[in-house]
Amino acid sequence: MALLQSLITVVLFLAILGSLVVIHELGHFIVARLAGIRVWEFGIGFPPRATVLARRGETLYTLNWLPIGGFVKLEGEEGESDDPRSLVRASLPIRALVFASGAIMNVILAFALMVAIAWFPQTAYGLTFAAVQAGSPAAAAGLAPGDLIVSLDGRHYDQIDPQVFISDLRAAAGRTVTLGVVRGGGATATAATVEQITATLRPPSQIDAGHGALGIEQLRYVPSTTAFTRTPAEAVATGSARTADAFSTIAHGLAGIADAFVTRPTQAPEAAGPIGIAATVGDVFWQVGIGATLYLAALISANLALFNMLPFPPLDGGRIVMAVIKSLVGTRVSVRIERLTYLVGFAFLFAFLIWVTFFDIARLGGAIQ
């Protein structure tokens, strides 16, 4: 059973990563076609080639044996071509857009997944607590240990939102709010058993490390038996906020990894590599479910977008930088120098991958926590 679960986890991870990379390459493909650049091949997976799916005009569509993404083969992408429809002959803005379009597609996908997840029918999660501070707004409102708060001013929260719920409570400090409360946690509660209770929260001047806005302690964020559905507008707003938060978190994480790689190479980085991400996908899928797995896929898509736009050859961001440099200095940057730059960059990226994979394996083996 454990072996079967591991195999399913590997297949699921490859399916998610492969789909995200194909979407990324589809961005390059679409923009190149719209710009009139000659596209020789759009491949799903990596060679060796398994079969030719179709030929449409000059473009070959192929299925390849290695299920780890896809690729687009453009005329002149290696830096040399006399073809007027080659990438190298395109204007700088067009080349930059072709390079950036993969990341743009990953951003769009991350946002679409975030909105879709927010729009799905949800189980409302809430805050339960083991203690109520004497003289607090919670005590004045009649809240008791074991009660479950499932909504704040009519807003419900799902399994992704624990910090959002707490942040919203803090942001409402000093105001009178309406709390949806299920007495005693309500193991068999329905929407009809949710009480709407009014509470006037502490003002910001009275809030410190030991006194929150509501005055409840020993919090736990748990599922309730109450279901809810967001409106399309609420889903878009929630998806937008989550996408922005994801990019902010990932940007800080990438900066931290880069710093650790340079300054603390013998210490484990906080973020995971491919093996660690695969293990996380498995844990989330088996323990939490498909909704959280889709959310993780959205995070991976956002991560792929940001990582690819780093100004480092041979990533898309590095190719944009190289295109700008060549545009400024002209033929003084030869194709040989450009290729050497990409080779050195690839060597650094490969070394980084080995480094982060080593710590992934160490974590899985229990050598580090």
Side-chain angles (χ1 to χ4, degrees), residues 14-262:
L14 290 177
I16 290 174
L17 184 61
S19 298
L20 297 181
V21 175
V22 168
I23 290 293
H24 181 96
E25 294 301 325
L26 184 61
H28 295 311
F29 171 81
I30 291 172
V31 174
R33 288 291 296 269
L34 291 175
I37 294 170
R38 198 181 300 278
V39 181
W40 291 118
E41 184 175 353
F42 180 84
I44 298 175
F46 281 96
R49 181 180 297 169
T51 186
V52 174
L53 299 174
R55 178 185 287 275
R56 297 287 183 270
E58 64 197 10
T59 305
L60 202 63
Y61 298 85
T62 63
L63 182 65
N64 301 274
W65 283 112
L66 299 180
I68 49 176
F71 66 93
V72 175
K73 184 178 180 181
L74 306 178
E75 173 65 31
E77 64 181 324
E78 298 298 326
E80 288 182 304
S81 177
D82 294 327
D83 191 330
R85 292 180 55 205
S86 66
L87 177 65
V88 72
R89 297 272 179 170
S91 67
L92 176 61
I94 292 297
R95 279 181 287 158
L97 184 58
V98 170
F99 292 139
S101 56
I104 292 171
M105 284 291 283
N106 284 126
V107 172
I108 293 172
L109 178 62
F111 171 71
L113 285 174
M114 292 290 192
V115 172
I117 293 166
W119 200 8
F120 289 159
Q122 306 279 335
T123 295
Y125 275 59
L127 295 173
T128 188
F129 44 94
V132 174
Q133 295 173 348
S136 67
L143 296 178
D147 289 347
L148 177 65
I149 305 172
V150 296
S151 67
L152 171 63
D153 285 336
R155 177 179 179 181
H156 292 85
Y157 300 81
D158 59 32
Q159 61 184 344
I160 299 170
D161 289 334
Q163 294 305 316
V164 176
F165 199 159
I166 294 172
S167 296
D168 284 353
L169 265 177
R170 290 172 179 164
R175 294 198 294 107
T176 298
V177 298
T178 301
L179 306 173
V181 178
V182 178
R183 295 297 185 179
T188 60
T190 64
T193 63
V194 178
E195 298 181 30
Q196 301 299 318
I197 295 175
T198 299
T200 300
L201 304 182
R202 286 172 174 145
S205 60
Q206 296 180 14
I207 296 175
D208 54 33
H211 300 82
L214 187 56
I216 53 179
E217 298 179 344
Q218 302 175 45
L219 307 181
R220 287 191 303 125
Y221 192 67
V222 298
S224 72
T225 54
T226 302
F228 75 100
T229 303
R230 295 182 177 93
T231 66
E234 290 171 339
V236 170
T238 300
S240 299
R242 288 177 176 173
T243 303
D245 288 343
F247 276 100
S248 176
T249 301
I250 292 167
H252 283 90
L254 288 175
I257 292 175
D259 178 69
F261 183 59
V262 174

Side-chain angles (χ1 to χ4, degrees), residues 318-369:
R319 296 182 68 143
I320 293 174
V321 171
M322 183 59 67
V324 171
I325 292 175
K326 291 186 68 175
S327 175
L328 293 175
V329 303
T331 57
R332 282 176 287 175
V333 177
S334 66
V335 173
R336 181 179 180 183
I337 293 176
E338 183 178 358
R339 290 176 178 174
L340 181 60
T341 301
Y342 291 150
L343 180 63
V344 172
F346 181 81
F348 274 103
L349 288 176
F350 190 68
F352 170 79
L353 181 62
I354 293 174
W355 175 74
V356 75
T357 300
F358 168 80
F359 287 109
D360 280 349
I361 297 172
R363 284 193 185 97
L364 291 176
I368 58 176
Q369 300 296 322

